[in-house]
Amino acid sequence: MQYPTSQLKVLQYAGLQPGVRLIVLGAVHGNETCGTRAIERITREIDAGELAIVRGSVSFVPVTNPLAYASGHRAGDRNLNRNLRVTATPQDFEDHIANRLCPLLDAHDVLLDLHSFHTPGEAFAMLGPQDNDGPLEPFARATQEEAFALRLGVRRIVEGWLDTYARGVAHRVARAEAQTHAAGSGADNASADNPAARQQQLNTDPAYGVGTTEYMRSRGGCAITLECGQHEDPAAPDLAWRAIRNTLAHFRLIDAPDPAPVAQPEVLRLHEVIDRLHPGDSFVREWKSFDKVAAGERIGTRHDGTPVVAEEAGYVVFPNPGALAGQEWFYLARVSGRFAD
């Protein structure tokens, strides 16, 4: 099915009884199509009368980034799932999408964002912070979000995204300042006519880690990113479809039993993001998400021969051998004590 790049398609179904306002996103990244296929399947079921929305409402966005989707790439002009906010001076395609998407998120209570990842690995859910009143990501709906995550049909749950990304951005800022000082000149004009400078501006923005779920939480909602498997995994659309069905049941939009929470979830916490600094940076082997790594083990090698090693035992997450210079290359995670009870 074609999705024109000149518009954002939104499908909404409203029950006749009050309830939760849910929104489900697919293809925030254009090469992650499992959510699109799952949304197409479930809306066919609703249209055929096989499934009825009786409470609240659900909005589906099958293709959230139509420019990236049309090209089959992760991004159009830039990564939509970073620096997500309304802007009065849009500079790229994703800014225009954000100006439509953010008010749409504002009008909902709960977000399910369906994604996939680059290398083979087990599906998992990305969970927000515990309740807090801190400056980075204050939150007061952790209990509701945890119950949501446990009913999506995956046993692995990952937390720690935004604070890990904030530390990564701080490292980027320090590198950029050092490079500017060494060059003895000011930054280039960051405009649409200067893509490299524009990307550098985005990379070093403190809000760079804010994507759909972080934005949703900042507006008082709760949100889960569900990573449904590798991009081409034929099981990923089915997993995404089941997750939508479970979400509709859990929040009582449909008349169905609340799914049982997954037993004994594996909970990991991201704690570091490592950027690829040069096209010559390379991994020492083909890492998969959640491959274990020992303390001191070499993960990759910089273009000048400098080893990149794990400072502690843990897991490699989201390894991307094709990452652009200046972008995230991989993450490191450790076991979390959340859900210990």
Side-chain angles (χ1 to χ4, degrees):
M1 183 182 297
Q2 296 298 314
Y3 288 86
T5 60
S6 60
Q7 64 187 32
L8 190 63
K9 182 176 181 178
V10 182
L11 302 170
Q12 186 176 78
Y13 300 87
L16 300 185
Q17 300 178 43
V20 169
R21 299 171 299 171
L22 169 68
I23 183 169
V24 183
L25 303 182
V28 166
H29 295 131
N31 60 340
E32 302 178 17
T33 61
C34 59
T36 306
R37 303 288 86 81
I39 289 171
E40 290 170 346
R41 178 178 173 183
I42 208 140
T43 54
R44 285 196 301 267
E45 293 173 342
I46 297 173
D47 291 341
E50 299 169 9
L51 190 67
I53 305 300
V54 297
R55 299 175 194 87
S57 66
V58 56
S59 300
F60 295 104
V61 185
V63 174
T64 312
N65 191 333
L67 180 61
Y69 183 83
S71 68
H73 295 145
R74 179 174 173 83
D77 293 331
R78 67 170 181 87
N79 189 343
L80 176 62
N81 214 28
R82 307 286 187 273
N83 299 89
L84 185 68
R85 57 191 168 197
V86 172
T87 176
T89 56
Q91 297 186 45
D92 47 46
F93 181 83
E94 281 74 9
D95 282 351
H96 289 284
I97 289 291
N99 281 349
R100 294 293 186 183
L101 180 60
C102 290
L104 187 61
L105 294 174
D106 292 345
H108 292 81
D109 306 309
V110 176
L111 164 65
L112 174 61
D113 192 2
L114 299 166
H115 286 253
S116 58
F117 43 85
H118 182 80
T119 55
E122 182 179 338
F124 62 97
M126 293 285 289
L127 183 66
Q130 298 188 50
D131 288 346
N132 72 95
D133 58 2
L136 182 63
E137 194 177 16
F139 195 48
R141 298 184 67 180
T143 299
Q144 183 181 22
E145 198 172 273
E146 289 168 357
F148 179 17
L150 290 172
R151 286 164 172 82
L152 292 173
V154 296
R155 70 174 188 92
R156 179 173 284 155
I157 297 173
V158 179
E159 64 171 343
W161 168 263
L162 195 55
D163 55 346
T164 299
Y165 221 104
R167 289 191 295 273
V169 168
H171 295 322
R172 288 177 181 173
V173 170
R175 287 197 303 268
E177 290 176 348
Q179 291 168 358
T180 298
H181 179 74
S185 62
D188 292 329
N189 179 34
S191 69
D193 296 329
N194 191 337
R198 166 69 169 156
Q199 188 60 59
Q200 177 68 6
Q201 178 194 58
L202 294 170
N203 289 351
T204 55
D205 190 316
Y208 191 78
V210 175
T212 58
T213 53
E214 294 75 27
Y215 179 87
M216 190 71 179
R217 295 185 194 108
S218 76
R219 310 301 286 183
C222 71
I224 296 291
T225 295
L226 182 62
E227 297 281 354
C228 301
Q230 197 273 339
H231 298 327
E232 305 302 325
D233 185 346
D238 287 340
L239 190 149
W241 171 80
R242 286 194 300 272
I244 297 172
R245 292 284 300 239
N246 286 2
T247 301
L248 293 172
H250 176 60
F251 288 105
R252 303 192 66 245
L253 275 73
I254 61 175
D255 282 330
D258 188 12
V262 65
Q264 298 181 323
E266 177 190 48
V267 188
L268 303 177
R269 180 174 182 83
L270 299 176
H271 65 88
E272 189 171 4
V273 56
I274 306 297
D275 287 345
R276 195 179 193 196
L277 303 181
H278 187 278
D281 294 351
S282 60
F283 289 128
V284 297
R285 67 179 179 88
E286 292 185 1
W287 295 98
K288 302 187 301 295
S289 272
F290 304 104
D291 276 344
K292 290 185 177 180
V293 61
E297 183 175 352
R298 182 182 289 208
I299 298 171
T301 306
R302 298 295 185 189
H303 76 286
D304 61 0
T306 302
V308 180
V309 302
E311 294 185 359
E312 63 179 76
Y315 303 82
V316 174
V317 184
F318 290 140
N320 184 0
L324 299 175
Q327 299 288 296
E328 56 264 36
W329 193 18
F330 65 93
Y331 296 76
L332 292 171
R334 57 171 71 105
V335 174
S336 168
R338 199 162 175 179
F339 296 100
D341 295 335

